Amino acid sequence: MGRGKLRIYLGAAPGVGKTYAMLSEAHRRIERGTDCVVAFVEHHNRPRTEVMLHGLEEIPRRELAYRDTQFTEMDVDAVLARHPEVALVDELPHTNIPGSRNAKRWQDIEELLAAGIDVISTVNIQHLESLGDIVESITGVRQQETVPDEVVRRADQIELVDMSPPALRRRMAHGNIYKPDKVDAALSNYFRPGNLTALRELALLWLADRVDAYLQEYRSEHRVSAIWGSRERIVVGLTGGPEGRTLIRRAARLAEKGAGGEVLAVYISRSDGLTSASPKELAQQRTLVEDLGGTFHQVVGENIPVALLDFARGVNATQIVLGVSRRKGWQYVFGPGVGSTVARDSGPDLDVHLITHDEAGKGRGLPVNRGTRLGRARIVWGWLAGIGGPLLLTWLLSGVAPEVGLANDMLLYLSLTVAAALLGGLFPALASAAVGSLLLNWYFTPPVHTFTIADPKNIVAIAIFVAVAVSVASVVDLAARRTHQAARLRAESEILSFLAGNVLRGETSLEALLERVRETFGMESAALLERASDVEPWTCAGSVGPRPCQHPEDADVDVPVGDHMALALSGRVLPAEDRRVLAAFAAQAAVVLDRRRLREEADQARALAEGNRIRTALLAAVSHDLRTPLAGIKAAVSSLRSEDVAWSDEDQAELLAGIEDGADRLDNLVGNLLDMSRLQTGTVTPIIREVDLDEVVPIALGGVPEDSVELDIPETLPMVAVDPGLLERAVANLVENAVKYSPDTTPVLVKASAIADRVEIRVVDRGPGVPDEAKNRIFEPFQRYGDAPRGAGVGLGLAVARGFTEALGGTLSAEDTPGGGLTMVLSLQLAPAPDLVPAEGSTYSPAP
């Protein structure tokens, strides 16, 4: 059995007719003989929608009780048992009542789809999770019930239900959506024309993106390479030069002329990483295109025109924007240029725009020289081998071995040319080839001591020697340069990999990163400078090394990061080829600084939020939980003071008992509040001494009825090292909480046992229990699981118990009771009996 299909009616706003459209579709399917049922549809007392339910089979709903009120939800089991072909399920983002099968209705729908049942559902655009912030900024209302976008995107079919704002407001005014007493408020608030227009645009754009995804998927599956101009997509070819900003702005203006236009800026880099583009300029252009609503892409390609056209066709672009070439006229002898090639090969489906700019025709700079940096010593030795080597060889061959032969002489001179290339590079090798050919001609080619060559064969031999020498020198020098480039690029890749790893892990601090910069480039100091604006003074955000620079102009090397930040290094001047990696370090330093500040702001916001939450909960506790016993006390006192009623002794005793009970409850509540404040301010300092549990635990049971607790504390238990007062309060809170939730007929069990080097106190109840995901949350301040209708506390008992336990060096956790219920496990360290000196008193004293 396959998976069912999901069809969703997406509404631009409430009241546009999603449910009506869904019910109309159900009637059409029933007329075609489809088995279609109503699993859950809410007509909201709208007459026309209610009429559409006539003639449709409805699955009975499931009734649930929550907070003394009956609610109805979709009965998933009943729908699965009925197993229709199509089920109508209204309000996809709906949150189910606690106790339901799933937390959200879309999860119920997933079960129906998995069972092979087709589902038709509805959702409004404002309930999509990704649009929550946008909708709130438009309407001023935060949607509490949302559905993940992916759930809606996975639908097999989405149909937009739309209506113009004036028509929807007329429908509202006629009372077709809300009751008459709510119409005026709705029209003047949520259903304002501006709000409805913005929501409508959101719905259209969101659905357009999904249609675009469908189109891309179809083109990929059917291998469609031709461009379909369904919407304007403009590709901007960037070279890394300053003209890129002009091209991006021009492309953005072109995109604005067509509805739904999109700008994609692309930079083509070579696979060997050799590029003369400015990283700073590319970063600024990336920021510009993103600010204008476009996207930035970087792709690798050896042939720039081919790579650019492949990218444009891959994204289904309709236009390409390029800048007029920066080359001078004579440079066109090397080829027609990127713009001309792209225009020639683009075909009829791609329009190519060549944009003039200030840099046009000014000439292209030569690539950065990335030759070997051999050092002065090697260059000197190379020239010695290239010039002095042939002279020395000539002396040796003339005086020591004059009859070696011309062919062998040429090979010996050729070996010196190779040695010069290996030592000093290309130019010493070329010099060696020139000097060697002249010496061969003068000393060893008949007639000797003259530059005349009698035998034509020797002329050919000398020419071949020169050609081979130059070729070998070029190849050796090229291999040496490529080896150096590979080693350098490998080192750069290792450094960039280190930076990327730190970005992913978020491990490196700013100072550690600056130290890495200083070590990598051998500098004396490194500093990250920033300022608020162009006129503000520079400040140092972080530095390492002695005497860090305080201004970028004082540094030997400075790398700007944006408009108001710079990485300043002192020690030596770095070559230009090192600045690429240094720019990556600078960008990462700015990211690390931003991350550190965001973390600090998040910590401050979290502390403020926690403080606000505690203050709010405290106000709620004071306004409700503290006022309840006060009201009882006041009522009893007022009754006793009344002169109009003659109270019997039994009545007076009952009223006095009520006063005493209310005072005890107040004492307990205020005590817990004071205990929590002491824990949060860190003023609880326990005085540890040896204690027997059978001395402390029974005292902690004084606040609960005698028959509500069963105690099992063996006398053979070893002693524990605790503060008796803190332990008593912790156990008392645990027992009171257990008694509150445990059935009246089942006593709470408090037992203790020794395990290894610890003693465990277990407080076992047979109440409703707590699910695993809530076991840690119940120990937070002002948290009470479920309704707790019999609870008289403010949700501090377990938080205080855990705080006191941790102050004693112990642990407190919750686990399930076998057979149902909750067990609190309080674990304490055994007392080191030989060395422990008993102390008197305790820093804890119960609240007065």
Side-chain angles (χ1 to χ4, degrees):
M1 180 175 56
R3 178 180 173 86
K5 295 185 179 298
L6 175 61
R7 178 172 183 171
I8 293 178
Y9 285 93
L10 176 66
V16 294
K18 305 180 304 301
T19 305
Y20 189 92
M22 178 179 67
L23 294 174
S24 298
E25 176 65 19
H27 281 286
R28 285 193 294 270
R29 297 201 180 197
I30 289 177
E31 291 175 359
R32 296 196 301 263
T34 304
D35 181 17
C36 184
V37 302
V38 175
F40 190 97
V41 169
E42 199 65 72
H43 55 73
H44 298 291
N45 295 322
R46 295 169 186 170
R48 296 185 179 181
T49 305
E50 190 172 1
V51 169
M52 293 297 294
L53 285 170
H54 295 167
L56 299 179
E57 178 186 349
E58 294 190 53
I59 302 294
R61 301 182 183 182
R62 181 186 177 191
E63 293 190 358
L64 295 170
Y66 182 67
R67 293 185 176 177
D68 299 330
T69 305
Q70 291 295 120
F71 296 90
T72 60
E73 294 287 1
M74 179 176 67
D75 194 335
V76 179
D77 292 327
V79 179
L80 293 174
R82 171 65 173 77
H83 204 283
E85 293 182 48
V86 180
L88 308 184
V89 184
D90 204 4
E91 298 180 356
L92 182 66
H94 173 73
T95 301
N96 293 328
I97 295 298
S100 301
R101 185 189 190 96
N102 295 300
K104 303 288 288 187
R105 183 163 293 164
W106 63 263
Q107 295 171 329
D108 295 337
I109 292 176
E110 286 293 323
E111 289 196 35
L112 301 183
L113 294 173
I117 302 174
D118 293 347
V119 176
I120 304 178
S121 187
T122 63
V123 64
N124 281 332
I125 190 66
Q126 69 265 25
H127 293 291
L128 294 181
E129 197 168 81
S130 65
L131 302 179
D133 294 337
I134 301 176
V135 172
E136 184 179 10
S137 65
I138 294 171
T139 64
V141 178
R142 182 70 179 185
Q143 300 296 330
Q144 300 300 323
E145 292 188 329
T146 59
V147 59
D149 290 45
E150 185 60 27
V151 174
V152 183
R153 289 185 185 277
R154 287 201 304 262
D156 299 275
Q157 184 176 351
I158 300 177
E159 183 170 335
L160 179 65
V161 183
D162 190 18
M163 181 177 290
S164 66
L168 182 57
R169 285 172 59 84
R170 283 196 301 271
R171 176 181 288 185
M172 171 73 70
H174 293 159
N176 295 331
I177 300 177
Y178 293 153
K179 294 180 179 180
D181 58 342
K182 297 182 178 179
V183 170
D184 291 339
L187 290 174
S188 60
N189 291 284
Y190 193 90
F191 286 82
R192 293 195 301 267
N195 291 358
L196 297 177
T197 303
L199 292 174
R200 191 184 191 194
E201 182 181 17
L202 278 179
L204 292 171
L205 291 176
W206 190 92
L207 196 59
D209 286 340
R210 190 174 187 277
V211 172
D212 188 58
Y214 274 147
L215 179 61
Q216 293 291 352
E217 183 179 350
Y218 178 86
R219 284 168 51 84
S220 177
E221 290 178 354
H222 293 79
R223 302 181 183 276
V224 178
S225 58
I227 293 176
W228 292 357
S230 56
R231 61 187 295 189
E232 291 294 337
R233 282 192 179 84
I234 303 175
V235 171
V236 184
L238 302 178
T239 64
E243 77 279 1
R245 283 170 279 181
T246 302
L247 303 183
I248 292 171
R249 294 189 181 97
R250 181 61 181 273
R253 290 197 296 271
L254 289 174
E256 290 175 356
K257 295 179 180 180
E262 184 179 358
V263 176
L264 300 92
V266 59
Y267 171 72
I268 311 294
S269 61
R270 298 188 183 276
S271 60
D272 58 5
L274 304 180
T275 174
S276 58
S278 167
K280 178 183 177 182
E281 186 66 36
L282 283 178
Q284 292 177 348
Q285 293 174 13
R286 175 195 291 269
T287 302
L288 176 61
V289 71
E290 290 175 351
D291 289 343
L292 294 174
T295 56
F296 181 90
H297 306 268
Q298 183 167 344
V299 299
V300 176
E302 297 298 334
N303 190 316
I304 293 178
V306 172
L308 184 60
L309 288 172
D310 288 343
F311 175 83
R313 293 191 174 99
V315 298
N316 200 29
T318 57
Q319 302 180 55
I320 296 179
V321 173
L322 299 174
V324 173
S325 178
R326 289 179 290 165
R327 296 191 298 178
K328 292 183 178 296
W330 63 268
Q331 291 179 311
Y332 281 96
V333 299
F334 299 107
V338 173
S340 300
T341 305
V342 170
R344 182 192 64 201
D345 299 338
S346 61
D349 51 359
L350 260 176
D351 296 333
V352 179
H353 302 265
L354 293 179
I355 308 300
T356 58
H357 50 84
D358 294 337
E359 302 297 322
K362 291 185 177 180
R364 281 179 11 188
L366 294 175
V368 178
N369 182 15
R370 302 179 188 276
T372 57
R373 295 191 298 167
L374 302 175
R376 180 171 300 181
R378 286 192 60 181
I379 293 176
V380 169
W381 280 105
W383 282 104
L384 288 176
I387 303 298
L391 296 174
L392 179 61
L393 180 61
T394 301
W395 177 77
L396 290 174
L397 292 177
S398 299
V400 179
E403 303 298 332
V404 173
L406 182 60
N408 292 328
D409 293 339
M410 289 184 178
L411 291 176
L412 290 173
Y413 279 102
L414 184 61
S415 64
L416 288 176
T417 300
V418 173
L422 292 173
L423 288 173
L426 179 62
F427 294 108
L430 294 177
S432 177
V435 173
S437 62
L438 293 175
L439 292 176
L440 279 170
N441 188 2
W442 182 267
Y443 287 101
F444 303 105
T445 305
V448 297
H449 303 300
T450 176
F451 288 111
T452 303
I453 302 176
D455 190 349
K457 295 181 180 178
N458 292 336
I459 296 177
V460 175
I462 292 294
I464 292 175
F465 165 76
V466 174
V468 171
V470 172
S471 299
V472 170
S474 300
V475 172
V476 172
D477 178 71
L478 179 62
R481 286 191 292 115
R482 291 303 187 191
T483 301
H484 177 77
Q485 289 171 357
R488 178 176 181 82
L489 290 175
R490 182 175 64 252
E492 290 182 1
S493 65
E494 291 176 355
I495 294 172
L496 295 176
S497 175
F498 162 80
L499 288 177
N502 289 332
V503 170
L504 295 175
R505 295 187 299 269
E507 295 175 352
T508 302
S509 64
L510 180 60
E511 287 71 21
L513 183 64
L514 293 177
E515 183 63 30
R516 179 65 181 247
V517 174
R518 192 173 71 90
E519 293 176 355
T520 300
F521 297 98
M523 307 301 286
E524 291 182 0
S525 65
L528 184 65
L529 308 177
E530 64 174 347
R531 59 181 177 180
S533 65
D534 294 336
V535 297
E536 295 291 330
W538 290 94
T539 59
C540 183
S543 63
V544 294
R547 299 180 300 278
C549 301
Q550 301 300 320
H551 302 279
E553 53 268 21
D554 299 335
D556 294 315
V557 180
D558 71 285
V559 179
V561 186
D563 296 331
H564 303 124
M565 189 175 292
L567 179 63
L569 306 177
S570 63
R572 64 187 179 92
V573 178
L574 293 178
E577 57 189 8
D578 284 341
R579 296 182 69 89
R580 178 173 60 182
V581 177
L582 189 58
F585 271 107
Q588 174 63 6
V591 171
V592 170
L593 180 61
D594 290 341
R595 185 189 299 122
R596 185 176 71 182
R597 289 175 174 171
L598 288 174
R599 189 181 300 113
E600 293 173 354
E601 292 176 1
D603 292 340
Q604 294 175 0
R606 191 178 300 110
L608 291 174
E610 179 65 17
N612 288 335
R613 187 182 68 84
I614 291 178
R615 281 193 294 271
T616 301
L618 181 58
L619 288 174
V622 170
S623 63
H624 180 267
D625 294 276
L626 294 181
R627 290 180 63 182
T628 300
L630 280 175
I633 294 174
K634 181 174 179 58
V637 172
S638 300
S639 299
L640 289 174
R641 290 172 55 89
S642 176
E643 299 178 356
D644 300 334
V645 180
W647 301 101
S648 64
D649 293 341
E650 292 80 3
D651 292 336
Q652 292 183 4
E654 184 176 353
L655 291 173
L656 291 173
I659 294 173
E660 184 177 11
D661 179 66
D664 291 339
R665 291 174 60 188
L666 278 176
D667 179 67
N668 187 32
L669 292 173
V670 174
N672 278 334
L673 289 171
L674 293 176
D675 291 341
M676 180 53 60
S677 67
R678 293 171 182 172
L679 286 171
Q680 291 185 339
T681 57
T683 58
V684 176
T685 306
I687 297 179
I688 305 299
R689 63 184 180 89
E690 289 184 357
V691 174
D692 281 322
L693 290 182
D694 57 1
E695 297 177 2
V696 178
V697 176
I699 302 175
L701 308 182
V704 297
E706 295 182 1
D707 57 349
S708 62
V709 177
E710 180 181 340
L711 192 60
D712 183 10
I713 307 293
E715 296 181 357
T716 58
L717 282 178
M719 303 182 76
V720 292
V722 296
D723 184 316
L726 299 184
L727 178 59
E728 177 189 338
R729 289 300 307 148
V731 174
N733 284 339
L734 294 178
V735 172
E736 291 172 4
N737 183 78
V739 170
K740 179 170 57 180
Y741 285 95
S742 190
D744 296 334
T745 58
T746 305
V748 172
L749 175 61
V750 179
K751 63 179 181 179
S753 60
I755 301 176
D757 60 341
R758 306 184 71 81
V759 170
E760 288 187 352
I761 302 175
R762 291 179 171 267
V763 181
V764 184
D765 68 58
R766 294 292 180 179
V770 175
D772 292 338
E773 62 271 14
K775 283 189 171 62
N776 283 328
R777 193 167 64 248
I778 61 177
F779 291 103
E780 297 177 5
F782 302 103
Q783 295 291 323
R784 288 191 297 179
Y785 179 73
D787 285 340
R790 290 180 292 163
V794 294
L796 286 175
L798 296 182
V800 170
R802 171 171 277 189
F804 283 170
T805 302
E806 292 175 350
L808 296 174
T811 60
L812 177 59
S813 59
E815 61 184 39
D816 293 330
T817 301
L822 188 68
T823 298
M824 293 291 178
V825 182
L826 193 156
S827 180
L828 300 170
Q829 189 73 32
L830 291 180
D835 300 324
L836 189 65
V837 178
E840 295 182 2
S842 170
T843 58
Y844 174 82
S845 59

